[in-house]
Amino acid sequence: FNWIEKKLYLYQALAKNYKAAKRFKELSEVQEIVILFTDSIQKEHYIKVSADAATQYETEKKELTIKNQQLDLKLSRVYITALLAMILLGIPLVFYGVRKLKNRQKRKLNTEIENERRRISNDLHDGVGAYASSLYTGISSLESAAQESKVANLKGTAVELIEKLNQTVWVLDMESIAVRDLFDKYKNWFLKIIPNYEGMNYEFQDDIANNRTIKPQDALDLLNMLQEMTNNALKHSGGNEIRCNFNSDLNSFNIEFSDNGKGFDINAVEKGNGLNNLKKRADKLGGKLEIKRTEFGTKISFQIIFK
């Protein structure tokens, strides 16, 4: 891509000259070429970074698997030794030693896995995160009246990339996530995007009697479900009001989401990606998803029962 980068540099220089000369027609044409070259270079870099990260992850995953197998082998040897020691030292003492060794080895392995998870999180934040921020900054520098629509779309994509990356890093950084923190994370995301939808009213309610903790991946699935519900309401419902109730007690976890829009025919949109994604994540979490069209709009309920 050296030749593309060289051409990009030349076109950027040409754009500056046109801008200084107030030749806005030529400036618009050159900036469109600059955007195409920039997008091509950034996509190639992103694909390379993602591929390298995936390769590194698979390699490290295999290494952790080998360590786990080695641990199992060591434990097998310990069991054989313990069998002989039981004859000499007695069953209680041997089992105590084996349990202590197993717990120590398990803690060591868990520590290694946790350190690796945090390292991957830091790599994503420092590597791909820096690239995404650079992409956003680079796109912002190309703004002009002639290219406002195209640049706005690119900026929106960059912002979504950064937000998804931040959510992934947030999950990787945590051993477990409290439901209150999850709801706060969703509300913070909502408040960032709602200024783009003028006249939209909203209300959040939470009743968290049991601030239970959940697995990071489950938290990410729940956050994605809430975001999918919100995007569908903002972009397709035609309403001007959104309500989201969050409830957690000793026996269950509940989300109730509604809008006052036009609603939809559940059978007509059954194959839509958004609805399918909601159903898949609900099944993965072992919860019950219910979508209703009411006289006031659309109501979505999701519940997990704890046994």
Side-chain angles (χ1 to χ4, degrees), residues 108-230:
K108 181 180 178 182
L109 180 61
N110 287 339
T111 299
E112 290 178 353
I113 293 174
E114 179 63 21
N115 290 339
E116 188 64 17
R117 186 163 60 85
R118 292 186 182 278
R119 189 192 65 76
I120 293 174
S121 171
N122 290 334
D123 287 348
L124 281 173
H125 181 271
D126 296 338
V128 182
Y131 158 73
S133 297
S134 175
L135 173 64
Y136 178 83
T137 302
I139 292 173
S140 298
S141 68
L142 297 175
E143 284 185 301
S144 70
Q147 298 295 332
E148 183 177 356
S149 176
K150 294 181 179 179
V151 173
N153 289 334
L154 289 173
K155 285 179 67 176
T157 301
V159 169
E160 290 178 5
L161 171 63
I162 293 172
E163 183 63 29
K164 287 297 182 184
L165 177 62
N166 287 337
Q167 291 174 10
T168 303
V169 171
W170 174 64
V171 166
L172 284 173
D173 276 342
M174 309 289 279
E175 293 184 13
S176 61
I177 295 173
V179 293
R180 188 179 300 279
D181 292 337
L182 169 64
F183 196 40
D184 288 343
K185 189 72 174 178
Y186 163 69
K187 288 189 289 186
N188 288 339
W189 169 82
F190 184 93
L191 294 175
K192 286 180 183 178
I193 67 167
I194 199 61
N196 297 322
Y197 299 89
E198 186 175 353
M200 181 64 68
N201 300 310
Y202 56 90
E203 181 180 335
F204 298 129
Q205 291 185 0
D206 63 86
D207 182 10
I208 304 177
N210 181 13
N211 191 27
R212 67 176 67 251
T213 59
I214 53 181
K215 296 178 181 178
Q217 183 56 54
D218 291 346
L220 186 58
D221 284 332
L222 285 168
L223 182 59
N224 284 329
M225 288 180 68
L226 285 165
Q227 291 174 342
E228 187 71 46
M229 297 175 193
T230 304

Side-chain angles (χ1 to χ4, degrees), residues 60-102:
E60 292 164 351
K61 182 179 178 182
K62 290 178 181 178
E63 290 176 353
L64 288 176
T65 301
I66 292 173
K67 287 183 179 180
N68 199 19
Q69 292 172 346
Q70 290 174 342
L71 173 59
D72 290 339
L73 181 60
K74 288 180 181 179
L75 289 175
S76 298
R77 292 173 180 172
V78 169
Y79 289 141
I80 294 174
T81 304
L83 182 61
L84 298 175
M86 280 170 26
I87 301 174
L88 301 174
L89 303 176
I91 293 177
L93 182 59
V94 172
F95 272 108
Y96 172 77
V98 171
R99 185 170 62 252
K100 187 175 181 180
L101 176 61
K102 185 175 181 179

Side-chain angles (χ1 to χ4, degrees), residues 233-276:
L234 291 174
K235 297 177 181 179
H236 306 301
S237 73
N240 64 352
E241 183 176 281
I242 287 177
R243 295 176 180 268
C244 185
N245 298 330
F246 214 71
N247 173 272
S248 176
D249 55 35
L250 291 175
N251 301 315
S252 65
F253 170 83
N254 303 273
I255 296 174
E256 287 191 359
F257 185 95
S258 62
D259 64 64
N260 66 341
K262 59 188 177 183
F264 59 89
D265 183 354
I266 187 69
N267 296 319
V269 297
E270 188 171 357
K271 296 183 180 180
N273 289 333
L275 186 58
N276 279 338

Side-chain angles (χ1 to χ4, degrees), residues 2 7 115 144 148 156 220 242 279 288 292 305:
N2 287 336
K7 283 191 174 183
N115 290 339
S144 70
E148 183 177 356
L220 186 58
I242 287 177
K279 289 182 177 179
K288 179 182 178 182
K292 290 183 178 180
I305 302 294

